[in-house]
């Protein structure tokens, strides 16, 4: 396989919990890829705002950033594609979540996440990265374009969302929290769109990921690699499995299995 582009998830794939910079080994590996004119693409559920804590030296490596699970595509920091939800698509779901007192959040095009209410201590503990530094609480107003919509449920509430998904939307399910996206907009869509921008085929991509929302890009790319810290379902969806993020699995794979990347 002639690799022309590499797509990587961020959290749990190239960055471990709480990290803002990749290891020197992975950084040097990415540099060698760039020297061989292999394009680098970030493919993440994070918004551009949520990537601000990441070391700019790392972000500068990437030619494109697919953010918000395919909702927005940036060439560096220039937005070239966007797909948003609109209030009418969420109305029934929001009414149901409010009635059940289920916490949800949404991001507008500014990339900031706004929450329907304060989180419980239990939710703050589970989602420390989201709630650890305070967050704005603001009701979702009419005519506001919504880029991301997240909900936070308990184990016994797993069916409280699925029956309220509009026929123009789809659900990325994470068991106790999930993401509602425009139908067909996912990480796989992001890979396909970036391939068009690069004038290559999606089959020219190798992609790495660890989450359920990475499966769509596994299906789109020519080769897919799951991290060993991924769930069994995610690993089964990939062509191969590499060592965990804590063991520098992406660097290990690229340096040991793709001889064309090595010096």
């Amino acid at each position: 396989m002639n690799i022309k582009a590499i797509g990587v998830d961020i959290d749990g794939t190239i960055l471990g919990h709480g990290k803002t910079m990749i290891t020197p080994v992975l950084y040097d590996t990415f540099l060698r890829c760039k020297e061989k004119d292999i394009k680098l693409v970030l493919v993440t559920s994070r918004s551009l705002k949520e990537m601000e804590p990441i070391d700019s030296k790392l972000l500068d490596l990437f030619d494109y950033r697919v953010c918000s699970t395919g909702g927005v595509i940036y060439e560096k920091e220039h937005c070239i594609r966007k797909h948003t939800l609109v209030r009418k698509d969420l109305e029934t779901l929001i009414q149901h979540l409010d009635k059940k007192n289920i916490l949800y959040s949404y991001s507008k095009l500014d990339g900031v996440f706004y929450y329907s209410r304060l989180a419980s201590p239990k939710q703050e503990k589970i989602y420390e990265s989201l709630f650890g530094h305070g967050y704005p609480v603001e009701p979702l107003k009419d005519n506001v374009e919504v880029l991301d919509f997240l909900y936070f449920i308990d184990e016994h509430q797993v069916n409280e969302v699925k029956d309220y998904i509009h026929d123009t939307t789809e659900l990325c399910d994470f068991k106790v929290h999930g993401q509602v996206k425009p139908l067909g907009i996912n990480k796989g869509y992001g890979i396909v769109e970036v391939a068009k921008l690069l004038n290559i085929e999606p089959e020219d991509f190798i992609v790495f990921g660890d989450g359920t929302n990475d499966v769509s890009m596994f299906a789109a790319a020519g080769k897919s690699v799951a991290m060993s810290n991924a769930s069994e379902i995610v690993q089964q969806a990939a062509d191969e499995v590499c060592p965990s993020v804590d063991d520098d699995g992406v660097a290990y794979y690229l340096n040991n299995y793709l001889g064309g990347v090595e010096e």
Side-chain angles (χ1 to χ4, degrees), residues 11 37 70 73 99 120 131 159 197 207:
D11 301 292
D37 200 30
I73 299 175
K99 181 179 179 180
S120 68
F131 302 126
N159 294 318
L197 293 167
V207 296

Side-chain angles (χ1 to χ4, degrees), residues 80-194:
I80 53 178
R81 298 281 192 281
K82 72 168 184 175
H83 296 272
T84 58
L85 293 156
V86 292
R87 177 62 182 262
K88 68 179 181 62
D89 296 330
L90 295 172
E91 190 70 43
T92 305
L93 174 59
I94 290 171
Q95 290 177 356
H96 177 69
L97 297 179
D98 285 339
K99 181 179 179 180
K100 293 288 186 175
N101 197 31
I102 293 174
L103 173 65
Y104 59 87
S105 67
Y106 63 95
S107 71
K108 295 183 281 191
L109 293 181
D110 59 9
V112 176
F113 271 91
Y114 300 86
Y115 293 79
S116 59
R117 60 172 173 79
L118 294 176
S120 68
K122 179 182 177 181
Q123 288 169 327
E124 287 191 347
K125 184 176 181 179
I126 295 174
Y127 305 105
E128 181 180 358
S129 63
L130 293 175
F131 302 126
H133 304 288
Y135 54 94
V137 175
E138 181 180 302
L140 181 55
K141 300 174 183 177
D142 292 335
N143 302 318
V144 169
E145 285 190 301
V146 176
L147 187 58
D148 276 303
F149 188 92
L150 305 179
Y151 59 85
F152 305 88
I153 57 179
D154 295 323
E155 290 84 352
H156 67 280
Q157 297 174 309
V158 291
N159 294 318
E160 293 289 352
V161 176
K162 294 179 180 179
D163 292 340
Y164 293 88
I165 297 301
H166 195 275
D167 61 5
T168 62
T169 61
E170 65 181 57
L171 180 64
C172 297
D173 193 2
F174 297 95
K175 292 187 178 179
V176 294
H177 85 288
Q179 183 177 39
V180 180
K181 299 294 298 179
L183 188 64
I185 303 303
N186 49 43
K187 289 189 175 185
Y189 162 83
I191 291 296
V192 171
E193 287 301 297
V194 173

Side-chain angles (χ1 to χ4, degrees), residues 215-236:
V215 171
S216 63
M217 73 170 177
F218 288 178
K223 182 174 283 292
S224 58
V225 184
M227 313 304 292
S228 65
N229 48 280
S231 69
E232 184 176 347
I233 292 175
V234 173
Q235 291 186 33
Q236 290 176 347

Side-chain angles (χ1 to χ4, degrees), residues 50-79:
E50 290 176 301
M51 288 199 290
E52 287 182 354
I54 296 176
D55 194 311
S56 60
K57 184 180 177 183
L58 167 57
L59 295 178
D60 288 344
L61 285 174
F62 290 87
D63 301 282
Y64 290 91
R65 306 172 192 178
V66 178
C67 299
S68 302
T69 320
V72 188
I73 299 175
Y74 298 91
E75 185 174 8
K76 296 299 183 180
E77 294 189 0
H78 176 62
C79 179

